[in-house]
Each structure stands twice: as structure tokens, then as C-alpha cells.
Amino acid sequence: MQAYVFEPETGVATRTVLLVHGWTGDAGSMAGFVEPLLAAGFRVVAFDLPGHGASTGRELNIPLGVASLAAVARVFGPFQAIVTHSFGGAITLAALAGSVRGQPAVSAQRLVLIAAPSSITRITRQFGHAIGLGRRGQAALERCIHVVAGNPVEAFEGPLQLKAIGLPTLVIHDRQDRELGFQHAQALAESGPFVRLEATDGLGHRRILKARPVAESVARFVAGEG
């Protein structure tokens, strides 16, 4: 796993924030959050998920992602917060909830989910429909997921995992996100009173990562100011 560590210029950071990118991204795609978090006094760690960036591997799924996150946590944890984007949010929820058998649960004090999916079941079935799977094909696909992950696909539902975790959570999602509709954010926000939803307009699924107001809002939340 390729990891990158950023230390604040003034003083020694006592708290660490982990950045987890999404599908087809890499650590660099989360770069917009580094400066605001450093300015708030945090050490920042970013890493490339398997098969992405400079990390080895040719594939990525939730079990592989959870294993890589757990490995990073063993070296750089504990974490004040984990800030995620897209599929990185699904991986992080599974890691925090201990949803992948054989992997220890990762811990953090706060969680940020940016443009994250709420339902892996829905995404799996949308994928099956898109490639023309019938009922038997879809059932076979979900059995494969069960074998690989050690749990049925329903165990990775975002609201279910968030309720089990119960961490102060900030959900940020754009109303015009065409890759993962805003309903995903709404479903996550209904997990409990510990979840706060912030909506943006016109940033889509990826440009949201480059918006300075979003990065500053994340830094304030991580620091406990919101």
C-alpha cells in the first residue's frame, strides 16, 4: 500500500485524519482537504487503495478495501476522523462496523461521507440489470459477493452500519450528483441524530472534492466545531 503523510508546520500533531478516495481515484484526488486539516493542527494520512494509484493489485472490492484500510490503521491510527469519497465511504463504513469477517474493526472519533452510496444492494442490482442478468444470474452474483465478503450484500447497507457505529457523522452530497443520486445522502442522514447532512448544488460527484467551502466545512467538523 502506498501511503502519504502530511505533518503540520507548527508543533507536533497529536491527532490524525485519514483520507479515503473513491473508485478510479487515488490519494491525490483528496488533496483539497490536506491544507485545511493541517491548518487545524492535524496530521493527515492519505493512501492509494488496491489497484489504484501507486498501490499494487489489479482489483478492488469491499473486502480488499477494508483489509487495506485496516493495514493503514495499524501503522497510523488511531484516527480522530476518517474523511471519505464515494466508494471509499462504503469501504470505511464496512471497516468501522466490522462487516468483513476476519478483519478487525477500525476505530475513529468522527466520520465524513462525501458523495457516498447508501445501498450496496441497490448498486449491485442496478449493475446486474445494466448487464442483463436475470433472476438466477443476479442470485449467483450475490452468492459470489457473500463468499468473497463473508457476509450477504445486505450486511453492507450504509444506514444499517451507521446505526451500529453511532459516530458523529457529516454527510456531504451534491443535489446534482449523476453517479450517486441525492437520495443516497438522504438515506444515510436518516440513520440517527448523530448524522448531519450538508447539500451542495452544481458540484456533481467529483468536483465536490475541489470545492474550498466543502474542505473548510470538513475541517471544522473534524475539529469539533460543527
Side-chain angles (χ1 to χ4, degrees):
M1 302 306 304
Q2 177 65 52
Y4 307 85
V5 182
F6 304 88
E7 301 279 0
E9 293 183 2
T10 57
V12 177
T14 58
R15 296 179 296 175
T16 301
V17 177
L18 179 66
L19 307 179
V20 184
H21 67 82
W23 193 269
T24 73
D26 57 21
S29 64
M30 304 294 287
F33 300 97
V34 174
E35 183 189 347
L37 289 168
L38 290 176
F42 295 102
R43 178 176 71 160
V44 181
V45 175
F47 74 105
D48 295 326
L49 285 163
H52 291 66
S55 289
T56 59
R58 300 181 63 183
E59 60 181 330
L60 175 63
N61 53 39
I62 287 181
L64 282 173
V66 168
S68 66
L69 200 161
V72 172
R74 285 194 293 271
V75 177
F76 298 107
F79 300 123
Q80 166 68 15
I82 303 179
V83 179
T84 75
H85 177 243
S86 193
F87 189 57
I91 289 170
T92 301
L93 281 172
L96 290 168
S99 299
V100 175
R101 293 182 181 178
Q103 293 295 336
V106 173
S107 63
Q109 298 301 309
R110 291 188 164 227
L111 175 64
V112 179
L113 300 170
I114 302 170
S118 65
S119 175
I120 297 300
T121 303
R122 180 188 302 172
I123 291 172
T124 299
R125 291 174 184 171
Q126 287 174 343
F127 172 76
H129 178 75
I131 64 173
L133 290 181
R135 183 179 299 175
R136 292 176 63 186
Q138 185 66 39
L141 172 61
E142 294 184 21
R143 283 196 299 272
C144 287
I145 292 173
H146 193 158
V147 170
V148 171
N151 267 322
V153 66
E154 292 83 3
F156 301 97
E157 292 298 281
L160 178 69
Q161 293 175 116
L162 259 185
K163 287 177 183 177
I165 298 162
L167 286 178
T169 301
L170 174 63
V171 173
I172 305 179
H173 212 108
D174 194 80
R175 295 185 187 277
Q176 284 77 50
D177 189 325
R178 294 183 179 181
E179 294 188 38
L180 290 170
F182 191 69
Q183 67 271 18
H184 285 277
Q186 293 172 312
L188 291 169
E190 292 172 0
S191 300
F194 52 88
V195 182
R196 190 176 85 210
L197 172 60
E198 289 186 7
T200 63
D201 285 290
L203 296 176
H205 188 71
R206 300 182 189 277
R207 282 177 296 145
I208 196 169
L209 296 177
K210 300 183 182 299
R212 183 72 180 194
V214 171
E216 291 174 346
S217 179
V218 168
R220 287 193 298 271
F221 175 80
V222 169
E225 299 173 8

